[in-house]
């Protein structure tokens, strides 16, 4: 990558000097200019979008540069928004720091007077963190950093010989993958891709042969074929966890080839084309991202950007698709600096002011999250620059082209004993994603993996949330809890006139309370989702295998509108996209407006209304149905 012109940190320091004073080790909030409006439609807004490259060079890179400056000054005493940077809980941190420094250094002109100081700071932090834990992604980031420094001719100025020798031993995929069997050690299957990337980088640095990378790539292909067959990766060994990682993975694999200066294999391009189709269904004029599963928030947006960037650079997109992908990437970049970055802390915000993320991305990772997100924008921007899009404005007819694309798509992940798919439907400015999958061990009980029609601003989940969001929860007289979550069979998708129906059945419900899903056949269910213009509904018909004594049934809907009125089990909503919620088959519903309750926060913000419906004790002896209908504007 060619160095780009960027103000030196000496210049940036003048801006920092105007900020309020802070305690030693406290990261300095960056000055952020007036926000670009992206709340409704940034392409039609009164203030023009900054180009992708402008966002990266003038907003994101200086923001991370300021954080790194403070880190170099404060060392292990540095904290960000009250969180100690070196708290021992972020196992990727040292690698993220390395890639943050390397990308900042890479962007400096060779004659920049601050360059020697930044190289010295890199070496100082490298020595300070050489014995800190650094796992998987952290290893990958560190190797990318070393490759950049080596390519620029700076590696010997940035890292002393002893530190480099230690890094050669420790930056190894064998720390989390068995060298002989190539089985992962306590990591989800998407980490096979991380191991693959590490092996390629070690080969590029001359530390290993390319044979190791080829071996790992072979296991990736075997996993794709063994547990899907449709070109997507199950995060588990066959349980059926297909989420954003399952779709993003092809983009990551392709990018690792591109990073090495070669085109991906035809097999990878085939996976990538299918992933691109899924992501193209989700691009939108608000910059909103992937809608379900764990670790979304800004990563749900960059996942789409990363996948489509890889697809563009690998030549699997049409010119129109490439233009639309770049437009979306630009919108996402503007949304990042104006929505996700908090000017009062100088940090990305995934955790506060009504937002919530899962335990995996707890606030203990705050410093590293800034650096890894900055890296994702930096490297994808470099690809778009290489494709001729540097400083280019997005296409002005982006929304018009969106309107011409398919309104719905069915993406099969797996067929067999259990079916797994993702149904996507566009309705005006809304995109619904209905995942009929299995969260598997550790995730089956969390509502980000529930079978419900997710749509940003209408139907969302709560990270690690256990509430019965739009899925009935049965508590039996003996306190066993059953939910229809994981064991889908005979999924059918059909369209008639203006309605599309998705139907399925489950011979076993999911018995809750354990890390892994447990099949329980005391209740059977057939389910139909109906998607109309402006309305989505779900109807379940439950059949008890034998009479069951029931303590209660619960169903909730937490959303972003306000409760206006209630008549029976029909609730009128206003001041938001959802306009009405109606339930049949349960005894009663209560509705209230809420204000930032911890259990009802999404990744983007707090829910504002809560509807709870339930039925009391009874004996279940014959088939019965439960239906909910949701209308939206």
């Amino acid at each position: 990558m060619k160095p780009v012109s960027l103000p030196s940190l000496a210049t940036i320091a003048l801006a920092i000097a105007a900020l309020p004073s802070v305690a030693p080790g406290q990261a300095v909030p960056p000055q952020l200019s007036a926000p670009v409006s992206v709340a409704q439609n940034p392409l039609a807004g009164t203030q023009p979008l900054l180009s992708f490259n402008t966002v990266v060079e003038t907003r994101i890179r200086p923001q991370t540069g300021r954080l790194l400056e403070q880190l170099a000054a404060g060392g292990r005493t540095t904290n960000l928004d009250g969180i100690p940077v070196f708290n021992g809980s972020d196992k990727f941190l040292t690698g993220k720091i390395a890639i943050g420094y390397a990308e900042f250094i890479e962007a400096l002109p060779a004659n920049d007077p601050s360059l020697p100081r930044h190289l010295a700071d890199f070496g100082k932090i490298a020595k300070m963190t050489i014995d800190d834990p650094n796992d998987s992604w952290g290893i990958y980031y560190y190797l990318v950093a070393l490759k950049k420094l080596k390519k620029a001719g700076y590696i010997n100025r940035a890292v002393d010989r002893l530190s480099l020798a230690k890094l050669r031993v420790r930056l190894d995929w064998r720390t989390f993958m068995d060298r002989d069997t190539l089985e992962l050690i306590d990591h989800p299957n998407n980490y096979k891709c991380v191991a693959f990337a590490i092996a390629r980088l070690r080969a590029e640095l001359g530390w290993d042969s390319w044979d190791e990378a080829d071996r790992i790539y072979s296991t990736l292909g075997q996993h794709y074929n063994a547990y899907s067959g449709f070109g997507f990766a199950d995060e588990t060994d066959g349980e059926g966890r297909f989420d954003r990682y399952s779709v993003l993975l092809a983009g990551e694999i392709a990018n690792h080839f591109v990073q090495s200066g070669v085109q991906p294999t035809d097999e990878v391009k085939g996976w990538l084309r299918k992933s691109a189709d899924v992501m193209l269904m989700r691009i939108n004029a608000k910059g909103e991202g992937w809608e379900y599963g764990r670790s979304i928030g800004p990563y749900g947006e960059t996942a789409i950007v990363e996948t489509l960037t890889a697809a563009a650079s690998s030549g699997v997109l049409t010119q129109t698709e490439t233009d639309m992908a770049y437009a979306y990437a630009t919108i996402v970049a503007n949304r990042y600096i104006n929505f996700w970055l908090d000017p009062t802390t100088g940090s990305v915000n995934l955790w506060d002011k009504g937002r919530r993320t899962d335990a995996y991305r707890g606030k203990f990772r705050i410093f590293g999250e800034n650096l890894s997100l900055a890296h994702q924008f930096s490297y994808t921007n470099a690809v778009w620059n290489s494709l001729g899009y540097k400083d280019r404005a997005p296409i002005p007819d982006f929304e018009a082209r969106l309107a011409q694309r398919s309104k719905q798509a069915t993406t099969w992940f797996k067929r067999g004993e259990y079916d797994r798919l993702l149904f996507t439907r566009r309705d005006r400015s809304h995109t619904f994603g209905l995942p009929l999958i299995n969260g598997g061990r550790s995730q089956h009980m969390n509502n980000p993996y529930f079978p419900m029609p997710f749509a940003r601003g209408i139907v969302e989940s709560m990270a690690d949330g256990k509430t019965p969001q739009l899925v009935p929860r049965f508590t039996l007289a003996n306190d066993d809890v059953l939910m229809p979550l994981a064991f889908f069979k005979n999924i059918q998708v059909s369209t008639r006139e203006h309605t599309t129906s998705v139907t399925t059945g489950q011979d076993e419900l999911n018995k809750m309370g354990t890390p892994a899903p447990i099949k329980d056949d005391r209740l059977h269910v057939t389910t139909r989702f109906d998607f109309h213009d402006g309305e989505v509904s779900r109807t379940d018909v439950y059949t008890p295998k034998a009479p069951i004594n029931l303590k209660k049934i619960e169903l909730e809907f937490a959303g972003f509108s306000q409760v206006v009125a209630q008549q029976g089990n029909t609730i009128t909503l206003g001041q938001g996209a959802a306009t009405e919620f109606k339930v049949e088959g349960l005894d009663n519903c209560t509705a209230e407006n809420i204000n930032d309750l911890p259990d009802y926060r999404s990744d983007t913000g707090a829910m504002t209304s809560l509807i709870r419906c339930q039925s009391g004790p009874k004996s279940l002896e014959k088939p019965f149905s439960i239906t909910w209908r949701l209308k939206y504007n």
Side-chain angles (χ1 to χ4, degrees), residues 16-186:
I16 296 176
L19 294 173
S21 61
V22 295
Q26 170 68 49
V28 179
Q31 287 183 310
L32 301 179
S33 60
V36 178
S37 174
V38 295
Q40 297 301 319
N41 178 3
L43 292 178
T46 58
Q47 195 167 6
L49 286 170
L50 302 175
S51 73
F52 193 0
N53 187 64
T54 298
V55 170
V56 171
E57 289 193 4
T58 70
R59 301 293 293 277
I60 295 177
R61 189 167 291 136
Q63 181 250 351
T64 56
R66 286 188 281 272
L67 295 178
L68 293 168
E69 280 263 284
Q70 194 65 25
L71 182 70
R76 290 199 179 274
T77 67
T78 309
N79 70 84
L80 179 57
D81 198 21
I83 305 298
V85 171
F86 294 99
N87 54 50
S89 298
D90 187 348
K91 59 186 178 181
F92 311 138
L93 180 61
T94 60
K96 291 178 179 180
I97 293 171
I99 189 61
Y101 263 119
E103 287 181 333
F104 195 91
I105 289 168
E106 178 187 48
L108 292 173
N111 61 350
D112 192 293
S114 69
L115 179 60
R117 175 166 55 87
H118 296 311
L119 291 171
D121 285 344
F122 186 102
K124 180 175 70 174
I125 297 297
K127 290 179 71 173
M128 184 182 75
T129 60
I130 196 73
D131 294 319
D132 289 1
N134 190 30
D135 182 43
S136 53
W137 276 109
I139 295 172
Y140 165 73
Y141 289 134
Y142 216 129
L143 287 169
V144 174
L146 294 180
K147 176 185 172 181
K148 287 180 177 294
L149 293 173
K150 182 179 180 179
K151 183 177 179 181
Y154 298 147
I155 193 165
N156 292 327
R157 295 171 62 187
V159 188
D160 64 79
R161 293 180 63 185
L162 178 59
S163 295
L164 192 59
K166 287 184 177 180
L167 290 171
R168 179 169 181 170
V169 172
R170 296 176 183 181
L171 301 180
D172 198 329
W173 55 269
R174 298 166 186 87
T175 61
F176 61 96
M177 173 183 269
D178 187 279
R179 64 177 301 162
D180 297 319
T181 66
L182 300 186
E183 293 295 322
L184 289 165
I185 304 169
D186 297 328

Side-chain angles (χ1 to χ4, degrees), residues 324-612:
M324 295 180 73
Y326 172 74
Y328 175 77
T330 302
I331 297 169
V332 168
N334 279 265
R335 175 175 163 86
Y336 180 71
I337 61 174
N338 293 289
F339 179 78
W340 291 109
L341 287 184
D342 186 337
T344 64
T345 64
S347 168
V348 66
N349 173 24
L350 282 65
W351 311 274
D352 302 311
K353 299 179 181 178
R355 299 177 191 174
R356 171 170 164 164
T357 189
D358 46 53
Y360 173 76
R361 292 196 191 278
K363 197 171 180 179
F364 61 85
R365 286 175 56 168
I366 183 171
F367 197 88
E369 295 305 290
N370 283 274
L371 300 180
S372 57
L373 284 162
H375 167 65
Q376 291 180 357
F377 284 108
S378 178
Y379 95 79
T380 52
N381 177 59
V383 174
W384 287 110
N385 288 349
S386 72
L387 294 174
Y389 285 81
K390 183 176 182 180
D391 295 325
R392 187 185 298 187
I395 50 175
D397 59 344
F398 178 69
E399 286 193 275
R401 295 196 195 187
L402 277 179
Q404 296 171 1
R405 295 188 62 81
S406 298
K407 301 301 182 187
Q408 61 186 43
T410 300
T411 303
W412 281 98
F413 293 137
K414 185 174 177 62
R415 304 194 79 163
E417 179 184 8
Y418 300 108
D419 290 346
R420 314 293 183 196
L421 65 69
L422 172 62
F423 174 73
T424 307
R425 180 180 172 96
R426 287 183 178 271
D427 186 4
R428 288 161 282 188
S429 63
H430 306 297
T431 300
F432 286 87
L434 172 63
L436 298 181
I437 57 171
N438 178 357
R441 182 175 296 275
S442 80
Q443 295 295 335
H444 70 100
M445 75 294 281
N446 294 337
N447 57 42
Y449 286 88
F450 280 10
M452 61 184 187
F454 295 83
R456 289 294 182 181
I458 304 178
V459 177
E460 296 191 23
S461 60
M462 310 80 173
D464 293 338
K466 304 296 191 294
T467 61
Q469 177 82 323
L470 290 181
V471 178
R473 180 168 67 196
F474 297 84
T475 302
L476 308 187
N478 67 353
D479 289 327
D480 285 350
V481 177
L482 308 179
M483 296 187 76
L485 298 178
F487 306 110
F488 305 100
K489 292 184 176 181
N490 192 32
I491 302 176
Q492 303 287 330
V493 181
S494 60
T495 300
R496 184 176 181 179
E497 295 181 348
H498 299 293
T499 300
T500 295
S501 299
V502 181
T503 60
T504 185
Q506 296 182 69
D507 296 334
E508 307 101 352
L509 268 59
N510 192 347
K511 185 178 179 181
M512 310 296 283
T514 60
I518 297 176
K519 301 175 186 178
D520 193 304
D521 68 355
R522 284 176 285 181
L523 274 177
H524 301 179
V525 63
T526 59
T527 300
R528 185 183 76 248
F529 294 90
D530 288 326
F531 293 84
H532 315 272
D533 292 343
E535 180 180 319
V536 60
S537 65
R538 170 180 175 146
T539 298
D540 288 343
V541 178
Y542 294 92
T543 303
K545 184 177 181 180
I548 300 175
N549 290 323
L550 181 73
K551 182 178 289 187
K552 61 182 175 180
I553 307 173
E554 301 165 281
L555 176 74
E556 294 185 1
F557 172 52
F560 302 91
S561 297
Q562 291 283 303
V563 175
V564 175
Q566 180 175 356
Q567 184 172 3
N569 286 353
T570 301
I571 294 88
T572 302
L573 301 165
Q575 300 180 43
T579 59
E580 182 181 283
F581 186 70
K582 181 178 182 180
V583 173
E584 300 171 2
L586 296 178
D587 293 344
N588 61 80
C589 296
T590 61
E592 62 178 324
N593 294 318
I594 58 177
N595 181 22
D596 195 14
L597 298 181
D599 287 343
Y600 298 95
R601 294 170 178 167
S602 76
D603 58 326
T604 57
M607 278 78 168
T608 55
S609 58
L610 174 60
I611 300 168
R612 288 182 166 132

